[in-house]
């Protein structure tokens, strides 16, 4: 699932897929990819939505609907399908919410998940948090951990230090939160992606190999 200012051709998602498929082929396995064409949203639209301004449709919900349709379509072709999910930026947020709300039967089909630059990121040890938490959309980490315990072995989530969307590298004070929000606003409005686009090649390579390892167990 792609991020802001991009569509289903997302370089981040495709990089994970390429490393995943290469690792699968080395194991004598095959796989099929569906790059979800949920609506392309600009950084400005997303920023306005975070601030409570009206939008045509909730961008996170749009992603969830696209993921629901994909899983339904895949299960009609091959049931029960074994799924791996990849989400980048706003797409990662949609994957988060989908995983928490999916039925037990659907959850059991998900072999592994890789998230990159997730706005829902929350580092329980250091207190770093993504934009979703800064603007009051985040899950309550005291009641609902960022990665639920039962998913710990099946999820990799990457947040590059200095990425204002997910928040690693920023402090926990009010001034640091303001700095993170200001950096995110600059990046989203100017489209100067910098650290939020720094997941290739390390994170995408590790993520692809991680998913392949889970898929061939």
């Amino acid at each position: 699932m792609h991020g802001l200012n991009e569509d289903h051709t997302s370089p981040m998602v495709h990089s994970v897929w390429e490393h995943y498929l290469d690792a699968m082929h080395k194991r004598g396995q095959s796989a099929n990819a569906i790059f979800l064409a949920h609506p392309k949203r600009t950084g400005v639209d997303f920023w306005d939505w975070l601030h409570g301004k009206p939008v045509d449709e909730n961008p996170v919900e749009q992603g969830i609907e696209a993921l629901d349709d994909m899983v339904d379509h895949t299960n009609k072709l091959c049931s029960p399908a074994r799924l791996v999910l990849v989400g980048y930026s706003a797409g990662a947020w949609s994957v988060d919410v989908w995983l928490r709300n999916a039925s037990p039967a659907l959850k059991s089909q998900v072999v592994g998940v890789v998230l990159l630059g997730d706005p829902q990121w929350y580092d329980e040890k250091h207190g770093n948090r993504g934009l979703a938490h800064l603007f009051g959309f985040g899950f309550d980490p005291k009641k609902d951990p960022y990665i639920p315990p039962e998913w710990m072995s099946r999820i990799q989530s990457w947040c590059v230090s200095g990425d204002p969307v997910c928040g690693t590298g920023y402090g926990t004070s009010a001034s640091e939160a303001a700095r993170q929000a200001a950096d995110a606003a600059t990046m989203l409005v100017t489209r100067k992606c910098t650290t939020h686009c720094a997941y290739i090649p390390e994170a995408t390579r590790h993520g692809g190999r991680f998913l392949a390892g889970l898929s061939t167990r």
Side-chain angles (χ1 to χ4, degrees):
M1 302 192 71
H2 64 76
L4 301 172
N5 299 317
E6 61 180 19
D7 56 21
H8 65 283
T9 62
S10 168
M12 302 298 166
V13 176
H14 278 260
S15 182
V16 176
W17 163 248
E18 289 164 5
H19 289 293
Y20 171 72
L21 189 60
D22 179 65
M24 290 289 283
H25 284 168
K26 289 178 179 177
R27 290 170 166 79
Q29 301 290 322
S30 61
N32 295 310
I34 299 177
F35 301 102
L36 298 188
H38 52 102
K40 178 179 180 179
R41 304 302 292 249
T42 69
V44 174
D45 288 341
F46 190 72
W47 191 248
D48 285 346
W49 174 69
L50 285 174
H51 282 82
K53 295 182 180 179
V55 294
D56 294 337
E57 190 171 351
N58 182 319
V60 175
E61 290 296 331
Q62 285 182 312
I64 293 169
E65 290 170 6
L67 186 50
D68 277 333
D69 291 343
M70 181 278 289
V71 173
D72 182 62
H73 172 73
T74 303
N75 277 326
K76 289 178 180 177
L77 296 176
C78 177
S79 183
R82 301 180 75 228
L83 306 170
V84 296
L85 305 178
V86 178
Y88 166 59
S89 191
W93 188 344
S94 293
V95 171
D96 285 332
V97 179
W98 186 90
L99 282 174
R100 283 170 169 77
N101 295 330
S103 69
L106 287 181
K107 288 181 181 179
S108 69
Q109 293 180 234
V110 179
V111 175
V113 180
V114 166
L115 305 173
L116 308 167
D118 184 4
Q120 283 278 3
W121 170 279
Y122 187 84
D123 183 338
E124 295 182 9
K125 182 178 180 180
H126 301 101
N128 305 126
R129 52 185 178 158
L131 289 181
H133 294 277
L134 289 186
F135 287 90
F137 292 96
F139 301 111
D140 183 348
K142 295 180 180 178
K143 300 178 181 179
D144 193 0
Y146 170 52
I147 297 178
E150 65 271 22
W151 284 94
M152 289 297 293
S153 63
R154 287 187 281 169
I155 290 183
Q156 275 193 0
S157 186
W158 293 81
C159 182
V160 172
S161 182
D163 181 350
V165 173
C166 49
T168 292
Y170 292 88
T172 57
S173 66
S175 62
E176 281 291 280
R179 183 170 73 91
Q180 180 183 346
D183 289 348
T186 299
M187 184 197 70
L188 293 173
V189 172
T190 64
R191 298 194 181 189
K192 293 181 179 178
C193 197
T194 61
T195 51
H196 191 52
C197 290
Y199 293 89
I200 299 172
E202 182 179 2
T204 57
R205 180 176 64 247
H206 284 291
R209 293 175 179 176
F210 167 75
L211 293 176
L214 293 174
S215 300
T216 53
R217 285 181 179 176

